Amino acid sequence: MPIFMDRHFIEDAKRSAIADAHEKDLQIQDKHHVKFLTYWFDEARCSAFCLVDAPNKEAIQSAHDEAHGSVPHEIIEVDPGIVQAFLGRVEDPVPTNTSSEPR
């Protein structure tokens, strides 16, 4: 399957809310025949990015819509090697304790 990167513009999003949304994606990914590989969050730019192994863009949109309703604003097909060269990882980040961070 192709690898895609999507971008969500989410005003005032918090890191913990983005992590929660990713967990919801993981819970329903099999139903939509996608695999959410990882995500990145740029709080200053109100942007979240997902790296997804999927048959097509529509499957990604459907999965996000069911999981949490935050459908991406852009989806592009990418080469995983280029993603790793620029962003340094293609797997989920190590979880951090965010219990005191407001959502």
Side-chain angles (χ1 to χ4, degrees), residues 16-17 34 47 50 58 63 65 72 76-77 89 92 94 98-99 101:
S16 59
V34 301
S47 296
C50 302
E58 293 78 20
D65 188 38
I76 60 169
E77 190 169 346
R89 66 176 167 83
D92 278 341
V94 176
T98 59
S99 59
E101 185 178 343

Side-chain angles (χ1 to χ4, degrees), residues 62-80:
S62 293
H64 278 317
D65 188 38
E66 180 179 336
H68 46 71
S70 180
V71 294
H73 294 85
E74 294 180 80
I75 303 174
I76 60 169
E77 190 169 346
V78 296
D79 178 328

Side-chain angles (χ1 to χ4, degrees), residues 14-66:
K14 299 292 182 204
R15 186 168 307 282
S16 59
I18 299 303
D20 287 346
H22 181 67
E23 287 299 317
K24 290 176 182 175
D25 287 330
L26 294 176
Q27 292 172 8
I28 58 92
Q29 67 184 353
D30 293 340
K31 180 178 177 182
H32 295 272
H33 308 289
V34 301
K35 180 170 175 56
F36 288 94
L37 302 171
T38 192
Y39 69 96
W40 294 267
F41 178 52
D42 183 342
E43 190 168 9
R45 291 177 181 84
C46 300
S47 296
F49 304 86
C50 302
L51 189 64
V52 189
D53 189 356
N56 53 52
K57 295 176 183 182
E58 293 78 20
I60 297 167
Q61 290 175 320
S62 293
H64 278 317
D65 188 38
E66 180 179 336

